[in-house]
Amino acid sequence: MEIEGRDFMNTPPLKTVRFGGNVVATLAKFKQGDTSDYELLKHQLADPDIKDAQIINWLQEFRNCVTQLSKDHEQLIYVVLRLPWLGRSPAVVEEYLAFLSNLVSAQTVYLRACLKMVVSNFTPKRVKICEGGVDISDSDDDDENLPRNFDQCHQALQLIARYVPSTSRFLMPILTENFPFVQKSSRTLECYVHNLLRVAVYIPSLRRDVLELIISRMLKLDVSASRGEIEEVEENAVQQEMKGEQEEEGLFDMDEDVCSVKSSPAGTNVMVHPVAERLDTLMVVLLAFIKDMCHVNGCLDVEQTKDLYKDLVCVFDKLILPTHASCHVQYALFYLCSFRLALAEAFLEHLWRLLQSPSHPAVLRQSAAGYMGSFLARANFLPVATVRACLDLLVPWLHLYIDSQDSGSRAYCDITLHGPFYNACQAVFYTLIFRHRSILEGDMKKGLAYLQGLNLERIVMCQLNPLKVCLPAVTNMFAAITRKYQLVFCYTIIERNSRHVLPVVRSSVGGDCVSTNTNPLDSFFPFDPYGPLISRHKTGCSDADEDDFLRGETPETKGVMGMTPGSYESHLHSPSSVGSPPIAFLQRPF
């Protein structure tokens, strides 16, 4: 008994008193209609100041009569499941895990309740903070016990899955229901997504569904803020910070490099745009997971990588491909393909099959063409041989399409009739804009012979008139390059098209005001540079960092900001980006 050092007057007595009988006796009385001890038991279990010794004592008694805890005792079980076991002493955690194992084994009716309890702890607890007399609810991000709590949650899930083989069937709907609203804090979303991916490691049958759930939520964020909007907000923040610094220092040097990119006014790695910050945080977690799942002790595991590729391609087909104008989420597959050329070629072949298949909806075929062209143009890890092989598929297909239409009644410019054709044309033009130098370098004579053999003039001059509907920036760049190498002379057609009435879009505010639709294909380039979400990690920008194509100049292949196999290395700034899958990713600190 410890007496020395105890302040009798100022120390309240320890709460070790129990009222009522043991659990077995209480359940017997309840069965006979006497609920007094039963309600007293629930009250004692719900005590916020309950001690470790009391929890252990109660749980041991519950384990001894677990077969009696039928559906009639649902309210009592729910009180037990709300016991504060996480972060307690090892003895409490061990006893609680043993109780869960016994409960789900003997009473599977409580499986969902147990799973919900565990999953509810996948995010930091909400705490109330009083600011200016107002109570504000916020997540407890400073809780140092988060890593330990998450580990204990996953330990509980693994035990449940071991004792109940059908756990995965019940778990996935619960994971979906508990996914935080996408407007929650970056920290809350990061913790939940990280824990979802941990589940996918030890219950691999759920991995595809988990990836689908995560990517579906990320796409909601992605399409809610355009790349232009994010860039504008970030640039304005940088300018405001620079202006403030200049005013503070009394310096107004107009010769300073005003394009330096800083991450935020506070100089931290936090995006100013709230949606961009959430999306960036989740992308870092997802890419770290992909890297670690594919590498064991720093070496690529081919079989594991293939399996993950199959899962991601399925999610791509179901969610990403039909989503118009997503700017960032698709880089998960891009990044995975950078690990091995065979994966990149498999992805291109997959897109090619989608494009040429008449059984798929035209909108998906058009999207596949856009992805194919953007991937060929931006993936610096693709050798020129692969680019040429894809052009050797695309260009003959365009010629065959022209053959089938030139003598028909539909041989005129119409996007609704020939959408996949026009998108395939734009994919070829876009690829040549970025890859013509690599095709020509080394042996200019052979390179020119190859480009001449594509017979691009026939495509440009055909009655379907692809230059009329392709993005003007693509058309103008393609025209400049093909004129330089005397492959095609596009300017006569461009001038003729400009004299004709182009498709127009009525003003959104009503009235007679109309504006020219300069993007009739509604095209976007999914693998354009990642933008500020990546550049925020740089100390500044230079001409080489900017996108030549967006500046209207002929792009150098070396200057394109497409991702290389190692280009994400410095951006996965968490320890989870190194090491073997189950260790590196799972031990990521919070």
Side-chain angles (χ1 to χ4, degrees):
M1 179 181 296
E2 187 178 27
I3 298 177
E4 292 185 7
R6 181 178 176 88
D7 186 346
F8 179 80
M9 297 299 295
N10 298 317
T11 303
L14 297 177
K15 299 182 72 173
T16 57
V17 180
R18 267 185 61 171
F19 299 97
N22 59 37
V23 174
V24 174
T26 301
L27 295 180
K29 286 185 178 180
F30 179 80
K31 189 174 183 180
Q32 295 172 0
D34 184 355
T35 62
S36 57
D37 283 359
Y38 192 82
E39 294 301 323
L40 184 59
L41 173 60
K42 287 163 52 179
H43 179 74
Q44 292 181 83
L45 288 169
D47 183 358
D49 297 322
I50 192 170
K51 306 302 179 185
D52 286 9
Q54 292 173 304
I55 294 177
I56 293 173
N57 183 261
W58 286 122
L59 290 176
Q60 287 174 346
E61 291 192 30
F62 276 110
R63 287 177 61 195
N64 291 331
C65 60
V66 71
T67 55
Q68 301 177 38
L69 300 173
S70 63
K71 185 72 172 174
D72 296 334
H73 304 293
E74 187 175 35
Q75 291 185 359
L76 177 61
I77 293 301
Y78 288 166
V79 173
V80 177
L81 291 178
R82 286 196 291 268
L83 280 171
W85 65 283
L86 287 172
R88 292 274 185 164
S89 66
V92 171
V93 174
E94 183 179 355
E95 192 63 43
Y96 197 88
L97 293 176
F99 164 74
L100 284 180
S101 302
N102 291 354
L103 182 64
V104 296
S105 300
Q107 305 288 350
T108 54
V109 68
Y110 294 118
L111 175 62
R112 281 180 55 84
C114 293
L115 294 176
K116 284 184 177 180
M117 179 275 297
V118 175
V119 173
S120 68
N121 290 292
F122 276 3
T123 55
K125 290 297 182 183
R126 305 295 292 180
V127 294
K128 284 188 176 180
I129 304 171
C130 185
E131 292 185 3
V134 179
D135 288 338
I136 302 174
S137 179
D138 197 5
S139 59
D140 189 9
D141 294 344
D142 298 327
D143 186 357
E144 297 179 354
N145 293 322
L146 276 181
R148 181 180 62 178
N149 292 353
F150 291 155
D151 287 344
Q152 291 167 355
C153 286
H154 291 289
Q155 191 178 354
L157 269 185
Q158 291 178 73
L159 276 174
I160 294 173
R162 184 187 306 168
Y163 287 103
V164 184
S166 60
T167 293
S168 59
R169 183 161 57 91
F170 293 91
L171 180 58
M172 198 60 223
I174 293 171
L175 295 176
T176 303
E177 293 167 9
N178 283 267
F179 201 105
F181 184 54
V182 292
Q183 297 301 323
K184 291 289 186 181
S185 69
S186 297
R187 181 62 166 163
T188 296
L189 292 170
E190 177 187 23
C191 290
Y192 195 80
V193 167
H194 185 270
N195 284 315
L196 283 185
L197 292 171
R198 285 187 66 171
V199 172
V201 173
Y202 55 80
I203 309 181
S205 61
L206 288 181
R207 186 171 68 184
R208 184 174 298 180
D209 291 332
V210 166
L211 288 171
E212 183 178 321
L213 172 60
I214 293 171
I215 288 175
S216 68
R217 297 302 195 272
M218 292 175 67
L219 282 171
K220 288 184 179 180
L221 288 169
D222 204 348
V223 299
S224 66
S226 67
R227 178 184 276 115
E229 178 187 335
I230 293 173
E231 290 176 350
E232 181 180 358
V233 171
E234 298 302 316
E235 288 171 4
N236 289 341
V238 170
Q239 291 174 1
Q240 289 295 325
E241 181 184 8
M242 293 177 62
K243 182 179 178 181
E245 290 177 353
Q246 289 174 344
E247 291 177 352
E248 183 178 332
E249 298 174 5
L251 299 175
F252 295 90
D253 185 2
M254 301 305 293
D255 293 329
E256 265 189 51
D257 180 12
V258 295
C259 79
S260 62
V261 179
K262 296 186 180 180
S263 55
S264 73
T268 62
N269 280 340
V270 178
M271 301 292 292
V272 176
H273 196 293
V275 173
E277 170 58 23
R278 296 186 193 102
L279 184 58
D280 195 33
T281 299
L282 298 187
M283 283 295 292
V284 169
V285 176
L286 180 58
L287 295 175
F289 171 79
I290 291 172
K291 182 178 188 296
D292 290 343
M293 293 304 103
C294 296
H295 293 81
V296 177
N297 297 324
C299 298
L300 186 71
D301 187 303
V302 176
E303 292 305 316
Q304 288 186 186
T305 304
K306 283 182 181 178
D307 290 342
L308 183 57
Y309 168 80
K310 291 175 184 176
D311 288 343
L312 278 176
V313 165
C314 287
V315 178
F316 172 83
D317 287 347
K318 185 174 182 178
L319 298 177
I320 300 177
L321 185 66
T323 302
H324 179 69
S326 63
C327 299
H328 307 101
V329 177
Q330 57 265 24
Y331 263 98
L333 192 54
F334 188 101
Y335 178 58
L336 177 63
C337 288
S338 72
F339 294 162
R340 190 176 177 87
L341 178 59
L343 294 177
E345 292 176 341
F347 181 54
L348 287 167
E349 183 180 0
H350 179 72
L351 293 171
W352 165 241
R353 288 176 179 172
L354 289 173
L355 168 61
Q356 66 171 342
S357 172
S359 63
H360 286 88
V363 65
L364 293 184
R365 296 173 64 194
Q366 292 172 220
S367 184
Y371 271 92
M372 193 172 183
S374 189
F375 193 82
L376 288 170
R378 297 295 192 171
N380 290 340
F381 48 83
L382 288 178
V384 67
T386 300
V387 176
R388 289 179 56 162
C390 290
L391 289 174
D392 289 340
L393 292 173
L394 285 167
V395 175
W397 183 81
L398 294 176
H399 285 300
L400 287 173
Y401 191 90
I402 293 170
D403 291 340
S404 68
Q405 298 295 325
D406 263 356
S407 58
S409 59
R410 304 195 303 176
Y412 55 90
C413 184
D414 191 320
I415 296 173
T416 58
L417 293 176
H418 311 295
F421 169 80
Y422 291 126
N423 277 273
C425 286
Q426 183 162 268
V428 170
F429 301 160
Y430 192 71
T431 300
L432 289 174
I433 288 171
F434 283 91
R435 293 293 188 162
H436 71 278
R437 291 181 183 274
S438 58
I439 292 173
L440 295 172
E441 67 183 5
D443 193 327
M444 177 69 78
K445 185 177 180 180
K446 285 186 177 180
L448 279 174
Y450 171 75
L451 293 177
Q452 290 167 353
L454 295 177
N455 196 5
L456 297 171
E457 184 175 13
R458 180 170 184 255
I459 297 173
V460 170
M461 300 290 184
C462 75
Q463 296 182 49
L464 300 180
N465 194 3
L467 292 184
K468 185 174 183 179
V469 296
C470 288
L471 205 64
V474 175
T475 298
N476 293 331
M477 290 294 296
F478 177 74
I481 291 169
T482 52
R483 181 179 67 175
K484 177 180 179 180
Y485 296 104
Q486 298 185 4
L487 297 170
V488 188
F489 294 95
C490 302
Y491 289 104
T492 302
I493 297 175
I494 293 174
E495 290 173 4
R496 185 183 68 198
N497 289 335
S498 66
R499 289 195 296 268
H500 288 73
V501 178
L502 295 175
V504 295
V505 178
R506 294 234 167 244
S507 171
S508 60
V509 296
D512 297 329
C513 177
V514 295
S515 59
T516 302
N517 183 2
T518 57
N519 186 13
L521 284 177
D522 203 18
S523 53
F524 72 106
F525 303 101
F527 297 119
D528 269 5
Y530 198 107
L533 281 80
I534 287 297
S535 64
R536 72 180 184 138
H537 296 285
K538 300 178 181 178
T539 56
C541 68
S542 64
D543 288 344
D545 290 327
E546 295 178 1
D547 189 355
D548 298 320
F549 178 68
L550 299 179
R551 289 188 292 136
E553 301 175 7
T554 304
E556 297 269 358
T557 304
K558 294 178 181 178
V560 178
M561 287 173 56
M563 292 298 164
T564 60
S567 61
Y568 263 113
E569 300 290 333
S570 61
H571 308 308
L572 300 179
H573 45 69
S574 69
S576 62
S577 61
V578 188
S580 60
I583 298 177
F585 182 75
L586 302 188
Q587 290 184 348
R588 184 171 183 269
F590 281 89

mmCIF file of all heavy atoms in Angstrom, residues 15-23 26 36-44 47 54 58:
data_model
loop_
_atom_site.group_PDB
_atom_site.id
_atom_site.type_symbol
_atom_site.label_atom_id
_atom_site.label_comp_id
_atom_site.label_asym_id
_atom_site.label_seq_id
_atom_site.Cartn_x
_atom_site.Cartn_y
_atom_site.Cartn_z
ATOM 1 N N LYS A 15 -11.778 5.530 -7.322
ATOM 2 C CA LYS A 15 -13.085 4.921 -7.511
ATOM 3 C C LYS A 15 -12.902 3.431 -7.836
ATOM 4 O O LYS A 15 -12.676 3.050 -8.966
ATOM 5 C CB LYS A 15 -13.826 5.625 -8.651
ATOM 6 C CG LYS A 15 -14.057 7.104 -8.384
ATOM 7 C CD LYS A 15 -14.823 7.775 -9.501
ATOM 8 C CE LYS A 15 -16.263 7.328 -9.487
ATOM 9 N NZ LYS A 15 -17.079 8.093 -10.466
ATOM 10 N N THR A 16 -12.984 2.646 -6.825
ATOM 11 C CA THR A 16 -12.834 1.199 -7.015
ATOM 12 C C THR A 16 -14.066 0.447 -6.523
ATOM 13 O O THR A 16 -14.091 -0.770 -6.507
ATOM 14 C CB THR A 16 -11.612 0.680 -6.245
ATOM 15 O OG1 THR A 16 -11.760 1.020 -4.859
ATOM 16 C CG2 THR A 16 -10.330 1.295 -6.785
ATOM 17 N N VAL A 17 -15.076 1.203 -6.122
ATOM 18 C CA VAL A 17 -16.263 0.577 -5.539
ATOM 19 C C VAL A 17 -17.176 0.071 -6.646
ATOM 20 O O VAL A 17 -17.416 0.757 -7.628
ATOM 21 C CB VAL A 17 -17.020 1.580 -4.644
ATOM 22 C CG1 VAL A 17 -18.247 0.919 -4.032
ATOM 23 C CG2 VAL A 17 -16.103 2.118 -3.561
ATOM 24 N N ARG A 18 -17.674 -1.137 -6.465
ATOM 25 C CA ARG A 18 -18.644 -1.717 -7.394
ATOM 26 C C ARG A 18 -19.966 -1.914 -6.668
ATOM 27 O O ARG A 18 -20.005 -2.254 -5.489
ATOM 28 C CB ARG A 18 -18.160 -3.081 -7.886
ATOM 29 C CG ARG A 18 -17.388 -3.049 -9.162
ATOM 30 C CD ARG A 18 -17.076 -4.448 -9.623
ATOM 31 N NE ARG A 18 -18.278 -5.242 -9.894
ATOM 32 C CZ ARG A 18 -18.226 -6.427 -10.466
ATOM 33 N NH1 ARG A 18 -17.061 -6.950 -10.796
ATOM 34 N NH2 ARG A 18 -19.327 -7.093 -10.695
ATOM 35 N N PHE A 19 -21.040 -1.689 -7.424
ATOM 36 C CA PHE A 19 -22.366 -1.912 -6.862
ATOM 37 C C PHE A 19 -23.061 -3.007 -7.654
ATOM 38 O O PHE A 19 -22.820 -3.193 -8.845
ATOM 39 C CB PHE A 19 -23.191 -0.616 -6.907
ATOM 40 C CG PHE A 19 -22.580 0.500 -6.114
ATOM 41 C CD1 PHE A 19 -21.795 1.472 -6.730
ATOM 42 C CD2 PHE A 19 -22.779 0.578 -4.734
ATOM 43 C CE1 PHE A 19 -21.231 2.503 -5.997
ATOM 44 C CE2 PHE A 19 -22.219 1.602 -3.998
ATOM 45 C CZ PHE A 19 -21.445 2.567 -4.628
ATOM 46 N N GLY A 20 -23.960 -3.716 -6.977
ATOM 47 C CA GLY A 20 -24.691 -4.777 -7.647
ATOM 48 C C GLY A 20 -23.909 -6.071 -7.651
ATOM 49 O O GLY A 20 -22.767 -6.160 -7.194
ATOM 50 N N GLY A 21 -24.496 -7.106 -8.206
ATOM 51 C CA GLY A 21 -23.849 -8.408 -8.262
ATOM 52 C C GLY A 21 -22.962 -8.552 -9.470
ATOM 53 O O GLY A 21 -22.724 -7.598 -10.218
ATOM 54 N N ASN A 22 -22.461 -9.769 -9.668
ATOM 55 C CA ASN A 22 -21.622 -10.003 -10.838
ATOM 56 C C ASN A 22 -22.494 -10.087 -12.095
ATOM 57 O O ASN A 22 -23.731 -10.089 -12.030
ATOM 58 C CB ASN A 22 -20.770 -11.259 -10.656
ATOM 59 C CG ASN A 22 -21.631 -12.497 -10.426
ATOM 60 O OD1 ASN A 22 -22.701 -12.650 -10.996
ATOM 61 N ND2 ASN A 22 -21.153 -13.391 -9.556
ATOM 62 N N VAL A 23 -21.831 -10.185 -13.250
ATOM 63 C CA VAL A 23 -22.558 -10.126 -14.526
ATOM 64 C C VAL A 23 -23.506 -11.308 -14.677
ATOM 65 O O VAL A 23 -24.652 -11.157 -15.130
ATOM 66 C CB VAL A 23 -21.560 -10.070 -15.705
ATOM 67 C CG1 VAL A 23 -22.300 -10.160 -17.033
ATOM 68 C CG2 VAL A 23 -20.741 -8.779 -15.653
ATOM 69 N N THR A 26 -26.531 -10.725 -12.598
ATOM 70 C CA THR A 26 -27.300 -9.616 -13.155
ATOM 71 C C THR A 26 -28.108 -10.059 -14.364
ATOM 72 O O THR A 26 -29.275 -9.682 -14.524
ATOM 73 C CB THR A 26 -26.359 -8.458 -13.541
ATOM 74 O OG1 THR A 26 -25.653 -8.020 -12.378
ATOM 75 C CG2 THR A 26 -27.133 -7.295 -14.127
ATOM 76 N N SER A 36 -33.119 -3.796 -12.173
ATOM 77 C CA SER A 36 -32.414 -2.798 -11.355
ATOM 78 C C SER A 36 -30.900 -2.962 -11.459
ATOM 79 O O SER A 36 -30.175 -1.999 -11.732
ATOM 80 C CB SER A 36 -32.871 -2.899 -9.900
ATOM 81 O OG SER A 36 -32.654 -4.214 -9.401
ATOM 82 N N ASP A 37 -30.396 -4.184 -11.205
ATOM 83 C CA ASP A 37 -28.947 -4.407 -11.308
ATOM 84 C C ASP A 37 -28.454 -4.247 -12.742
ATOM 85 O O ASP A 37 -27.313 -3.824 -12.980
ATOM 86 C CB ASP A 37 -28.601 -5.813 -10.795
ATOM 87 C CG ASP A 37 -28.610 -5.890 -9.281
ATOM 88 O OD1 ASP A 37 -28.871 -4.847 -8.646
ATOM 89 O OD2 ASP A 37 -28.365 -6.982 -8.734
ATOM 90 N N TYR A 38 -29.300 -4.592 -13.695
ATOM 91 C CA TYR A 38 -28.941 -4.482 -15.111
ATOM 92 C C TYR A 38 -28.684 -3.017 -15.480
ATOM 93 O O TYR A 38 -27.669 -2.690 -16.121
ATOM 94 C CB TYR A 38 -30.084 -5.050 -15.949
ATOM 95 C CG TYR A 38 -29.765 -5.278 -17.407
ATOM 96 C CD1 TYR A 38 -29.089 -6.425 -17.822
ATOM 97 C CD2 TYR A 38 -30.166 -4.361 -18.384
ATOM 98 C CE1 TYR A 38 -28.822 -6.642 -19.164
ATOM 99 C CE2 TYR A 38 -29.899 -4.569 -19.710
ATOM 100 C CZ TYR A 38 -29.225 -5.713 -20.102
ATOM 101 O OH TYR A 38 -28.954 -5.938 -21.437
ATOM 102 N N GLU A 39 -29.597 -2.129 -15.035
ATOM 103 C CA GLU A 39 -29.420 -0.701 -15.324
ATOM 104 C C GLU A 39 -28.230 -0.142 -14.565
ATOM 105 O O GLU A 39 -27.505 0.723 -15.065
ATOM 106 C CB GLU A 39 -30.697 0.056 -14.953
ATOM 107 C CG GLU A 39 -31.909 -0.283 -15.802
ATOM 108 C CD GLU A 39 -31.673 0.008 -17.275
ATOM 109 O OE1 GLU A 39 -31.007 1.024 -17.585
ATOM 110 O OE2 GLU A 39 -32.143 -0.783 -18.127
ATOM 111 N N LEU A 40 -28.011 -0.634 -13.342
ATOM 112 C CA LEU A 40 -26.863 -0.191 -12.553
ATOM 113 C C LEU A 40 -25.554 -0.592 -13.226
ATOM 114 O O LEU A 40 -24.588 0.177 -13.260
ATOM 115 C CB LEU A 40 -26.941 -0.797 -11.150
ATOM 116 C CG LEU A 40 -25.849 -0.367 -10.154
ATOM 117 C CD1 LEU A 40 -25.856 1.137 -9.949
ATOM 118 C CD2 LEU A 40 -26.028 -1.105 -8.829
ATOM 119 N N LEU A 41 -25.538 -1.791 -13.783
ATOM 120 C CA LEU A 41 -24.348 -2.263 -14.504
ATOM 121 C C LEU A 41 -24.049 -1.367 -15.703
ATOM 122 O O LEU A 41 -22.890 -0.962 -15.927
ATOM 123 C CB LEU A 41 -24.573 -3.710 -14.951
ATOM 124 C CG LEU A 41 -23.511 -4.321 -15.873
ATOM 125 C CD1 LEU A 41 -22.146 -4.322 -15.190
ATOM 126 C CD2 LEU A 41 -23.905 -5.738 -16.269
ATOM 127 N N LYS A 42 -25.061 -1.036 -16.481
ATOM 128 C CA LYS A 42 -24.873 -0.147 -17.637
ATOM 129 C C LYS A 42 -24.355 1.216 -17.193
ATOM 130 O O LYS A 42 -23.473 1.798 -17.844
ATOM 131 C CB LYS A 42 -26.192 -0.003 -18.400
ATOM 132 C CG LYS A 42 -26.591 -1.234 -19.182
ATOM 133 C CD LYS A 42 -28.056 -1.232 -19.588
ATOM 134 C CE LYS A 42 -28.472 0.032 -20.283
ATOM 135 N NZ LYS A 42 -29.895 -0.006 -20.682
ATOM 136 N N HIS A 43 -24.879 1.701 -16.080
ATOM 137 C CA HIS A 43 -24.449 3.004 -15.574
ATOM 138 C C HIS A 43 -22.979 2.989 -15.163
ATOM 139 O O HIS A 43 -22.224 3.928 -15.462
ATOM 140 C CB HIS A 43 -25.332 3.399 -14.390
ATOM 141 C CG HIS A 43 -24.955 4.710 -13.779
ATOM 142 N ND1 HIS A 43 -25.231 5.923 -14.368
ATOM 143 C CD2 HIS A 43 -24.292 4.993 -12.611
ATOM 144 C CE1 HIS A 43 -24.765 6.898 -13.607
ATOM 145 N NE2 HIS A 43 -24.197 6.368 -12.529
ATOM 146 N N GLN A 44 -22.552 1.935 -14.500
ATOM 147 C CA GLN A 44 -21.155 1.842 -14.064
ATOM 148 C C GLN A 44 -20.204 1.688 -15.247
ATOM 149 O O GLN A 44 -19.099 2.243 -15.257
ATOM 150 C CB GLN A 44 -20.989 0.668 -13.091
ATOM 151 C CG GLN A 44 -21.695 0.886 -11.762
ATOM 152 C CD GLN A 44 -21.501 -0.286 -10.803
ATOM 153 O OE1 GLN A 44 -20.484 -0.372 -10.116
ATOM 154 N NE2 GLN A 44 -22.473 -1.179 -10.769
ATOM 155 N N ASP A 47 -19.381 5.032 -16.923
ATOM 156 C CA ASP A 47 -18.691 6.033 -16.103
ATOM 157 C C ASP A 47 -17.461 6.558 -16.851
ATOM 158 O O ASP A 47 -16.557 5.789 -17.191
ATOM 159 C CB ASP A 47 -18.265 5.393 -14.777
ATOM 160 C CG ASP A 47 -17.611 6.401 -13.839
ATOM 161 O OD1 ASP A 47 -17.453 7.579 -14.232
ATOM 162 O OD2 ASP A 47 -17.251 6.004 -12.707
ATOM 163 N N GLN A 54 -11.123 -1.768 -13.134
ATOM 164 C CA GLN A 54 -12.553 -2.032 -13.257
ATOM 165 C C GLN A 54 -12.899 -2.587 -14.635
ATOM 166 O O GLN A 54 -13.690 -3.521 -14.765
ATOM 167 C CB GLN A 54 -13.332 -0.734 -13.000
ATOM 168 C CG GLN A 54 -13.245 -0.235 -11.564
ATOM 169 C CD GLN A 54 -13.893 1.129 -11.402
ATOM 170 O OE1 GLN A 54 -13.533 2.082 -12.096
ATOM 171 N NE2 GLN A 54 -14.845 1.215 -10.485
ATOM 172 N N TRP A 58 -14.644 -6.237 -15.321
ATOM 173 C CA TRP A 58 -15.905 -6.399 -16.036
ATOM 174 C C TRP A 58 -15.732 -7.293 -17.261
ATOM 175 O O TRP A 58 -16.548 -8.195 -17.510
ATOM 176 C CB TRP A 58 -16.447 -5.040 -16.482
ATOM 177 C CG TRP A 58 -17.024 -4.174 -15.402
ATOM 178 C CD1 TRP A 58 -16.622 -2.915 -15.061
ATOM 179 C CD2 TRP A 58 -18.120 -4.477 -14.534
ATOM 180 N NE1 TRP A 58 -17.373 -2.409 -14.035
ATOM 181 C CE2 TRP A 58 -18.322 -3.357 -13.689
ATOM 182 C CE3 TRP A 58 -18.940 -5.598 -14.364
ATOM 183 C CZ2 TRP A 58 -19.299 -3.312 -12.723
ATOM 184 C CZ3 TRP A 58 -19.936 -5.549 -13.398
ATOM 185 C CH2 TRP A 58 -20.101 -4.420 -12.593
#
